[in-house]
Amino acid sequence: MKIGIKKALSRRALVKPNALYYFWKYAANAGRVKAAKDYTPTYSDVPSIAEEITREGIVTGHVSDFLSPEGLEHFADAKAEVLKLSRSEEVQRMLADGNAKGEFKYNKGKDYLVNLITPKTEHLADGPVLRLALDPKLLEVVSSYLGLWPRLFQIHSWLNYPTEEPAKASQMWHRDPEDLRIVKAFIYLVDVDEDTGPFKFIPRTHSFGEFANCVPHHKDRKRVEDDEMNPILSPDLHRVCTGPADTMILADTVGYHRGGKPTSKNRVLLTFTYTSSWQSKPGPQISGTPSWSMNDMQRMAL
Ligand SMILES: O=C(O)CCC(=O)C(=O)O
């Protein structure tokens, strides 16, 4: 029963709450929803950030808008770690060959990027990447938007490089399938302009967004071509998320999005995916016991 419901809800935005939505909210995620309801955010700007995601499906800003002061320190360390790897000889060799190898090649269909952290990478419990993904302010924002205490489903980092091929996979318009409502946090670790393959999003196409009912006909099961999308949701509605390094994007990626098709420069980003417990696949691998004390929301996120 649950599998059938999950499939029915996957890759589609709800226009208004229906029976499946109420099942998702009050049965599948009852404990997480109650925890969110009983909780008052400690950061005063959390409600307004969450309201913007609720309305637009996306909010962008500098990392300091969304992270706690200690989170900014973990961010600096995580960024240094990822950029160091991106500049390593091994990665530079793969870029010169235009071909990711071994653990750097996580997803076969995405031969336009090198994975620097994959969802299978093991993270130290005290490491900066995990601590950043569990940042207390970021979790409060995600929780306020989702209306439930979230689950940290994936940690991922990759480097997109220019290719000659036409757009494919996540470079084409699509909706993510992981849950009925999702928050993906993307953090640019380098400056991203039009030539660097910015993330693109069509605001208000997430569940309960103003354009949730605007669904183009598309030949491919998952991906939407420009000539299918543009007559329904015209390019002047598309948000192109260019920005300097340390730009952060929080988006409900059930809304239409695409990105990572650079024309002349490499793009490096770090991304975290937050879902409800509806998504039951294993989350990040963690080694060791944290020496820091987690709050209840952080514990429930793991
Ligand atoms: O690389 C990008 O900018 C888009 C990534 C994407 O589509 C996704 O993570 O679902």
Side-chain angles (χ1 to χ4, degrees):
M1 159 101 164
K2 212 170 164 194
I3 301 278
I5 291 172
K6 280 187 182 176
K7 211 166 174 194
L9 287 172
S10 174
R11 292 191 193 275
R12 67 174 59 178
L14 293 181
V15 176
K16 51 183 193 229
N18 60 12
L20 292 177
Y21 172 74
Y22 289 119
F23 178 83
W24 175 86
K25 185 163 174 180
Y26 295 112
N29 289 300
R32 289 177 184 273
V33 168
K34 178 166 175 8
K37 217 166 156 213
D38 294 345
Y39 184 82
T40 308
T42 52
Y43 296 87
S44 59
D45 53 344
V46 162
S48 62
I49 298 170
E51 272 161 32
E52 190 166 340
I53 311 177
T54 302
R55 192 179 61 250
E56 301 297 327
I58 186 167
V59 65
T60 62
H62 184 262
V63 279
S64 56
D65 295 328
F66 308 117
L67 297 175
S68 67
E70 67 271 22
L72 287 172
E73 288 172 28
H74 300 311
F75 169 64
D77 294 342
K79 177 181 174 184
E81 224 173 68
V82 173
L83 286 179
K84 186 170 173 209
L85 179 59
S86 75
R87 292 172 186 143
S88 66
E89 240 179 72
E90 195 176 11
V91 170
Q92 291 303 314
R93 213 174 312 120
M94 287 185 271
L95 290 175
D97 296 348
N99 190 10
K101 294 195 178 75
E103 77 228 46
F104 294 95
K105 184 181 183 135
Y106 171 71
N107 188 321
K108 282 192 269 10
K110 295 188 179 176
D111 55 357
Y112 47 79
L113 55 81
V114 176
N115 291 278
L116 302 168
I117 296 173
T118 79
K120 297 221 164 107
T121 302
E122 197 169 81
H123 297 276
L124 294 174
D126 283 346
V129 174
L130 183 70
R131 296 209 59 179
L132 173 62
L134 293 175
D135 179 75
K137 182 172 180 186
L138 179 56
L139 288 184
E140 284 192 357
V141 170
V142 175
S143 163
S144 297
Y145 167 65
L146 293 176
L148 51 82
W149 278 14
R151 168 163 190 245
L152 170 62
F153 172 55
Q154 266 183 2
I155 296 177
H156 208 157
S157 172
W158 63 77
L159 182 158
N160 297 80
Y161 53 89
T163 59
E164 296 297 324
E165 289 182 52
K168 58 175 156 175
S170 59
Q171 297 174 328
M172 295 176 69
W173 293 118
H174 63 283
R175 295 185 185 281
D176 281 346
E178 286 87 356
D179 204 347
L180 173 57
R181 305 185 96 183
I182 299 168
V183 175
K184 265 194 185 169
F186 297 96
I187 310 180
Y188 292 157
L189 304 186
V190 296
D191 295 344
V192 174
D193 61 13
E194 278 281 5
D195 301 330
T196 322
F199 177 75
K200 298 181 183 173
F201 186 85
I202 310 185
R204 307 186 182 207
T205 56
H206 59 304
S207 282
F208 315 132
E210 188 185 343
F211 303 135
N213 61 344
C214 297
V215 179
H217 288 288
H218 46 103
K219 293 180 288 294
D220 187 86
R221 193 171 60 83
K222 302 183 200 167
R223 316 285 171 192
V224 185
E225 304 271 357
D226 277 334
D227 61 355
E228 295 167 325
M229 181 61 85
N230 292 348
I232 307 295
L233 290 156
S234 70
D236 51 304
L237 295 171
H238 305 176
R239 175 95 58 97
V240 179
C241 299
T242 52
D246 306 352
T247 292
M248 190 159 174
I249 301 160
L250 301 180
D252 181 337
T253 51
V254 172
Y256 284 114
H257 65 286
R258 67 178 176 187
K261 178 114 185 67
T263 50
S264 62
K265 295 176 224 170
N266 296 338
R267 190 189 66 165
V268 185
L269 61 70
L270 186 54
T271 173
F272 308 126
T273 305
Y274 303 92
T275 63
S276 72
S277 39
W278 187 255
Q279 173 51 258
S280 50
K281 287 189 190 150
Q285 303 285 311
I286 296 159
S287 67
T289 319
S291 66
W292 52 288
S293 94
M294 282 192 197
N295 66 31
D296 290 344
M297 198 186 297
Q298 290 168 323
R299 251 191 302 277
M300 207 185 250
L302 290 178

